[in-house]
Amino acid sequence: MKKALILLVAMIAVTIQAQAASHIYRGNSTYTSDIIATWDGRYLYKGNSTYNSDILLTYDGKYLYAGRSTYISDIMGTWDGRYLYQGRSTYISDIIATWDGKYIYEGRSTYISDIMNTVTGKHVYRGRSTYNSDILYTITGRIPIPVLLTII
């Protein structure tokens, strides 16, 4: 009975974890074969994997780290809710991208001509478009913008 209960709890935990994972798909697809990356709330994995060896980056709400690391020397980017900065910097000159809630702009700009992508609830489009033909990625679940920016 005790072993059965442990097995049941383990199965529920695996099911919850699988349901919690978000995915980024290539184009306007939700086929498993088109999964580019998997997000579990802390780590971004390559493809449809959640193996430690497939961790591309770690995100703690402020910093994006290379791989599974959380060392200062492995910081790839800093996020402040609006800007993504290169490395650990928060200097204006190190802004890689700007987010306004709908558009991702190149650098510190918010000019229409500098829109790199449009993000809706489940799609990332090329430029300022929302045409099906311009869908770059389909997203299931919730993926933080700075994590999404590393894929784009």
Side-chain angles (χ1 to χ4, degrees), residues 2-148:
K2 189 174 183 181
K3 286 182 182 180
L5 182 61
I6 291 171
L7 180 61
L8 179 63
V9 169
M11 288 174 43
I12 290 171
V14 168
T15 302
I16 290 171
Q17 183 178 4
Q19 290 173 349
S22 300
H23 295 97
I24 302 170
Y25 298 83
R26 182 179 356 275
N28 191 16
S29 172
T30 54
Y31 291 116
T32 305
S33 60
D34 289 327
I35 295 175
I36 295 170
T38 300
W39 171 251
D40 72 358
R42 179 165 173 88
Y43 301 111
L44 184 70
Y45 300 87
K46 179 175 48 174
N48 193 22
S49 173
T50 55
Y51 292 117
N52 283 340
S53 61
D54 289 329
I55 294 174
L56 299 172
L57 68 86
T58 303
Y59 179 58
D60 67 5
K62 181 174 183 175
Y63 297 113
L64 293 158
Y65 300 89
R68 192 168 188 251
S69 174
T70 54
Y71 292 118
I72 290 174
S73 61
D74 291 327
I75 293 174
M76 300 183 325
T78 302
W79 177 248
D80 72 0
R82 179 172 172 89
Y83 300 113
L84 179 63
Y85 300 86
Q86 178 71 37
R88 195 168 177 233
S89 174
T90 54
Y91 291 117
I92 290 172
S93 60
D94 291 329
I95 294 173
I96 299 169
T98 301
W99 168 246
D100 73 357
K102 182 175 181 178
Y103 299 113
I104 299 169
Y105 299 86
E106 184 175 353
R108 187 174 178 235
S109 175
T110 55
Y111 292 118
I112 289 173
S113 60
D114 290 328
I115 294 173
M116 296 188 304
N117 302 98
T118 302
V119 181
T120 63
K122 72 181 236 183
H123 291 111
V124 177
Y125 298 86
R126 179 183 352 271
R128 195 171 177 233
S129 174
T130 55
Y131 292 118
N132 281 344
S133 60
D134 289 326
I135 294 173
L136 298 173
Y137 306 105
T138 299
I139 302 163
T140 59
R142 298 183 67 146
I143 299 176
I145 291 297
V147 172
L148 193 57

